[in-house]
Amino acid sequence: MPEESTFGTAPATHGRQPGLGPLPVPRTSYIGAAEAVAAVCALLRRPEIRLLTLTGPPGIGKTRLSGQVAPILAALYRDGGCFVALDAIQDPGLVAATIAQRLGISGRGAGAWEDALHDYLRDKQLLLVLDNFEQVLPAAPLVAALLEAPGVKVLVTSRAVLRLYGEHIWPLQPLALPAPAASQPVAALAAYPAIRLFVERAQAVRPDFALTAGNASAVTAICTRLDGLPLAIELAAAGVRRLAPATLLGQYQGGLDLAVDGPADRPPRQQALRLAIGWSYDLLTPAARWLLRHLAVCRGGCSVPAAQAIASAGAAASLPPAPALRPDGGLPVWRTLVALHDQSLLWQREQAGAPRFGMLETIREYALERLEESGEAAGAHLQHARYFLQFAEQARRAWAAPPPGGWLDTLAAEHDNLRAALDWCAEDPSAEAGALGLRLVEGLWRFWELRDHLGEARRRLATALIWAAGEPPRRQGRLLWIAGCFATFQGDYAAARDLLAQAVEHWQAPASQFELSFALLALGNVTLAQGDRPAARALYTESLAIRRTLDQPEAIAGALVALATLAALDAQFAEAEALIAEALPLTDRPGRAYDRALVLLSAADLALRQGAQGRAEALLDESWALITTLGQRTGLAECLVAYGRAAVAADRPARAAQLFGAAAAQLEATGARLSPERQVEYDRQLAAVRARLGATACATHLAAGRRLSPEDARGTAPREPAPRAAVAPRPPAPLTRREHAVLASVASGLTNAQIAAQLTLSPHTVNAHLRTIYAKLDVRTRSAATRYALEHHLVAGPPEK
């Protein structure tokens, strides 16, 4: 079945044999074809390439491309070229006769056509084009036999490869589309081949049609929904005769219903994309059809292990899987995946060194329809959700494994599948679906925070709170606390306060005191944001006391930084420095990269408030490095604001404006908000920049910064180090005998617990001594304290070898 019947026929003029048959003549332009035509012609001009197969999914333009290539290359052959359409036959035994008849070979008896072809082609030099070979694949050995004639080259179009020795494969790609969510002017959009094709075909049925600012978004969405497939775009564009693009887009939920308006002189299968895909689907084995249907529950493709897990959905739904497919992860699943890829119904990519399979959305839409009709959908979705819950929980347990952002990248690669699982859990009324969805949300909230999916997290958490009705108070409290934190990130303080107050109520039991400390700390953040510093201090202090009582050093850091923020706002800089000095070493361990980045950011804020921009930038550089490994845009935005403040202090207003613009763009993209105290400082510094540059120049630099990536904004101009002569070094205060003993133990590599045991002190006392030591030496980490002690001979160095 030819995919595009846009070719007429004309008598062969390229050669000396009048019976070689007609080559196609295009009736319409072939948009976006220049590179593909040139590449295919170059391949076929190479003497070692005798067989080239053009492959691709239904509607991609294989027939059209072969029709463009054939006239160009036929002129190079003494006997020209012959185009053989195989769409009318499905019996592989008829292929030889069809080719012979097209070549003008006289009638022969049954079974003699192959010999006749061999005799005829023995001394010929020609290009033979075999179009739509997929439904006669068992005839592939005939093609190999034709190639025994030394002067013959064969160009095949087929959705499946022939798997012959010496076969070269050219997979066609969809027409180029704009990047998702890219905002581009109309002229730029009109240059994309997919959109150009839509406009041209729309003008064929409605001459006054033009791409405008009013319809460009809808046209782009239609072409994207149709995967850039030429046949689908042509069919959809015909609908403009009756409906505007926006109406077309709104009327049809899926791409298959958009592509249903083909010309009457095309075969019925080409008058709707659904029928075109169905043609390929019907050619599959039962096992391949079964697997294709079940893989349709995946979004964005899936790994081989995921496909193997989903293949067991038949057993999960008490339905027998296809007999030839082993859903236990055996080799047949892999072979069936490869077969579907060879049929151009799945794409294959490499991801982290492993194969990943998926399908175009139009094919996936068709496969989902078949899945629903089969009665297997519930089992497939359930198995998909179970697998990706296990996947998410395993990734979350790997939080402490290096690199810091590794597990985040792992989850990001499967985010579409995780969303699909959550969507199904929300739609299915069963208790099992709700239980799976609840666990998924609990496993993904940290990922949503660190990868800036704030709005999505709040929507998912609202559903999770419904699922959690009837769960123990401790579990409900955790969800309320998480939801309150996300509301805080987006500056919705009224909602945050309500959610966090409920979390406090749910965590009043003695067994939930540690969790209670988190609710109190988060409630303190909201209280501070609403301007009540004394109440915030009380909440922070209570949270810290609980954590100290429970001896939770990693959690203590968060409360210390919160109190340091308050101290800095009140210009109590010595107190703030001591608190941060205690907090920083508590985050210097695996899995605490984000916590450490936040402590460093707070330390940089404190340094800026004291006018030490050089020290602030050094702290920001370390924080930036950690946040970059995590890929969190909100954290990078906060760093950019702080870099901008340092630039203001260094009298570099243009750089500051660009940094502020870049930060604003990142915050808007993520939906996050600066905390009110940092927003006040941002507004104050931006006002200073505007006064220094003037409103027009400031706006220009802000706009320039908004167009930069975070890394480019940070590197827009080299940062000049702060002049060291301007600030005299502060001599360290003398250490007490006990502090000297603690410092010596730190320098020898002992942990806090070991120091406490050696010096007969409590861990709390050791922490207090370390805070004082760090403040006296003006250092922030254990390694820095050790280095200072050795350089200034406060302790003995390591023994010489």
Side-chain angles (χ1 to χ4, degrees):
M1 124 184 158
E3 296 169 33
E4 296 88 2
S5 300
T6 55
F7 299 110
T9 58
T13 57
H14 305 286
R16 303 177 182 177
Q17 302 294 324
L20 290 186
L23 292 173
V25 176
R27 296 182 191 170
T28 56
S29 61
Y30 186 14
I31 292 174
E35 292 183 1
V37 169
V40 171
C41 286
L43 286 172
L44 286 170
R45 285 191 178 104
R46 289 166 51 182
E48 73 275 16
I49 296 180
R50 304 280 312 286
L51 169 63
L52 180 65
T53 302
L54 306 180
T55 67
I60 196 107
K62 299 181 291 293
T63 296
R64 189 189 300 264
L65 178 57
S66 69
Q68 292 283 322
V69 168
I72 297 172
L73 292 179
L76 305 178
Y77 293 84
R78 183 189 67 207
D79 298 302
C82 182
F83 189 94
V84 182
L86 300 173
D87 58 297
I89 64 171
Q90 296 188 31
D91 181 356
L94 297 177
V95 174
T98 303
I99 297 173
Q101 290 166 3
R102 181 65 70 176
L103 286 168
I105 299 173
S106 58
R108 299 293 177 95
W113 288 110
E114 187 170 336
D115 292 337
L117 281 171
H118 188 271
D119 293 340
Y120 181 85
L121 295 173
R122 183 181 296 118
D123 61 349
K124 294 293 189 295
Q125 293 182 7
L126 63 82
L127 174 69
L128 185 61
V129 182
L130 304 179
D131 185 44
N132 287 279
F133 206 90
E134 59 269 0
Q135 75 271 21
V136 290
L137 276 178
L142 171 65
V143 179
L146 297 178
L147 290 171
E148 293 177 5
V152 172
K153 283 200 176 186
V154 179
L155 175 63
V156 174
T157 73
S158 176
R159 294 171 196 174
V161 297
L162 275 59
R163 293 186 171 274
L164 294 177
Y165 179 76
E167 179 183 23
H168 285 68
I169 300 168
W170 179 267
L172 271 70
Q173 302 300 319
L175 297 177
L177 289 161
S183 178
Q184 300 185 39
V186 172
L189 291 172
Y192 285 92
I195 296 176
R196 283 172 51 205
L197 177 62
F198 184 97
V199 172
E200 181 178 293
R201 299 302 187 264
Q203 289 172 342
V205 298
R206 189 175 140 193
D208 64 341
F209 181 83
L211 191 70
T212 67
N215 64 24
S217 176
V219 170
T220 301
I222 289 172
C223 294
T224 300
R225 185 169 293 182
L226 296 172
D227 298 310
L229 294 175
L231 173 63
I233 291 172
E234 289 189 354
L235 295 174
V240 172
R241 181 174 67 253
R242 297 183 301 272
L243 301 173
T247 307
L248 271 176
L249 188 62
Q251 183 167 335
Y252 300 114
Q253 295 300 312
L256 295 180
D257 289 326
L258 279 167
V260 294
D261 207 3
D265 62 345
R266 287 189 177 184
R269 291 186 296 272
Q270 293 190 4
Q271 295 182 32
L273 184 61
R274 179 180 284 102
L275 295 175
I277 297 173
W279 170 267
S280 290
Y281 179 81
D282 291 340
L283 294 175
L284 298 175
T285 65
R289 288 198 295 268
W290 190 96
L291 188 58
L292 186 72
R293 292 195 302 269
H294 285 70
L295 291 184
V297 299
C298 295
R299 288 186 200 161
C302 66
S303 64
V304 175
Q308 291 169 340
I310 292 165
S312 63
S318 299
L319 295 170
L325 185 67
R326 281 174 50 194
D328 59 356
L331 190 59
V333 173
W334 163 256
R335 285 178 176 167
T336 308
L337 288 169
V338 172
L340 287 168
H341 175 255
D342 287 346
Q343 291 282 347
S344 301
L345 292 171
L346 292 182
W347 49 252
Q348 180 184 347
R349 300 170 188 160
E350 290 295 312
Q351 180 176 296
R356 184 177 186 84
F357 292 89
M359 57 189 86
L360 297 176
E361 278 302 302
T362 46
I363 295 176
R364 179 173 173 267
E365 185 181 335
Y366 179 88
L368 280 172
E369 290 179 356
R370 303 287 78 78
L371 184 67
E372 290 291 341
E373 290 175 359
S374 71
E376 302 159 348
H381 282 292
L382 177 61
Q383 195 71 1
H384 176 270
R386 286 173 173 169
Y387 174 82
F388 282 101
L389 171 61
Q390 181 184 31
F391 176 88
E393 292 181 337
Q394 180 180 359
R396 184 63 184 88
R397 287 192 295 270
W399 159 245
W407 74 277
L408 295 171
D409 293 337
T410 299
L411 288 172
E414 295 291 2
H415 198 194
D416 284 340
N417 273 313
L418 294 162
R419 285 167 167 155
L422 280 167
D423 288 346
W424 175 77
C425 290
E427 293 167 3
D428 191 281
S430 68
E432 182 173 11
L436 287 171
L438 185 56
R439 288 175 60 188
L440 270 168
V441 170
E442 291 172 326
L444 290 173
W445 73 269
R446 190 69 160 163
F447 164 74
W448 290 328
E449 176 192 359
L450 295 180
R451 286 298 166 89
D452 307 295
H453 299 288
L454 307 184
E456 177 176 358
R458 293 188 70 185
R459 293 191 298 273
R460 302 289 190 189
L461 282 159
T463 304
L465 285 168
I466 297 172
W467 284 328
E471 292 291 325
R474 195 169 188 174
R475 192 177 192 187
Q476 291 190 52
R478 181 173 177 79
L479 289 165
L480 288 162
W481 165 69
I482 296 170
C485 289
F486 277 100
T488 304
F489 299 152
Q490 292 197 306
D492 189 353
Y493 300 122
R497 176 176 286 279
D498 178 61
L499 290 162
L500 293 169
Q502 292 182 64
V504 169
E505 292 178 7
H506 281 73
W507 281 341
Q508 288 299 320
S512 302
Q513 287 299 290
F514 184 52
E515 290 91 339
L516 178 62
S517 73
F518 285 90
L520 294 171
L521 186 67
L523 195 55
N525 292 336
V526 174
T527 303
L528 176 61
Q530 293 179 324
D532 191 344
R533 292 188 189 179
R537 181 180 295 276
L539 289 164
Y540 291 155
T541 301
E542 185 178 356
S543 176
L544 178 60
I546 293 173
R547 295 177 180 192
R548 288 199 190 281
T549 300
L550 297 176
D551 193 20
Q552 295 285 343
E554 295 182 358
I556 286 170
L560 291 171
V561 170
L563 286 166
T565 299
L566 270 177
L569 289 173
D570 292 334
Q572 301 296 322
F573 297 134
E575 178 187 348
E577 284 189 350
L579 291 164
I580 287 176
E582 181 183 355
L584 198 55
L586 299 177
T587 62
D588 192 12
R589 60 194 69 193
R592 312 304 295 181
Y594 184 57
D595 295 336
R596 184 171 183 80
L598 295 182
V599 177
L600 290 164
L601 188 57
S602 294
D605 176 78
L606 178 60
L608 288 170
R609 291 179 184 275
Q610 297 178 85
Q613 76 258 21
R615 180 176 159 207
E617 287 189 338
L619 292 164
L620 285 171
D621 288 344
E622 188 178 349
S623 181
W624 180 278
L626 291 170
I627 294 172
T628 299
T629 64
L630 297 171
Q632 194 206 31
R633 298 166 68 185
T634 301
L636 295 180
E638 295 230 21
C639 284
L640 289 170
V641 170
Y643 279 125
R645 290 167 58 192
V648 173
D651 195 23
R652 303 180 66 188
R655 170 174 168 78
Q658 289 198 1
L659 288 162
F660 288 156
Q666 295 303 310
L667 291 169
E668 289 174 11
T670 62
R673 293 270 300 273
L674 291 174
S675 62
E677 62 273 12
R678 284 182 176 161
Q679 185 67 49
V680 167
E681 190 64 24
Y682 171 87
D683 293 340
R684 187 177 72 83
Q685 300 280 7
L686 181 56
V689 168
R690 188 175 289 110
R692 180 78 168 76
L693 293 175
T696 301
C698 181
T700 299
H701 286 296
L702 284 169
R706 295 178 70 90
R707 294 191 293 270
L708 296 173
S709 69
E711 189 60 52
D712 287 342
R714 179 172 173 260
T716 48
R719 296 192 302 281
E720 299 173 3
R724 298 190 178 277
V727 180
R730 184 180 70 181
L735 302 180
T736 66
R737 180 173 299 185
R738 178 65 76 185
E739 289 165 355
H740 191 281
V742 171
L743 180 59
S745 299
V746 168
S748 66
L750 297 183
T751 65
N752 286 11
Q754 291 169 332
I755 295 172
Q758 178 176 292
L759 300 180
T760 320
L761 299 171
S762 72
H764 176 71
T765 302
V766 172
N767 283 332
H769 281 310
L770 282 175
R771 287 201 304 272
T772 304
I773 292 168
Y774 290 165
K776 287 181 176 181
L777 301 185
D778 193 23
V779 297
R780 297 293 176 268
T781 65
R782 298 172 75 90
S783 59
T786 299
R787 184 168 59 251
Y788 188 99
L790 292 173
E791 290 174 352
H792 292 80
H793 307 291
L794 298 179
V795 298
E800 295 183 2
K801 295 182 178 179

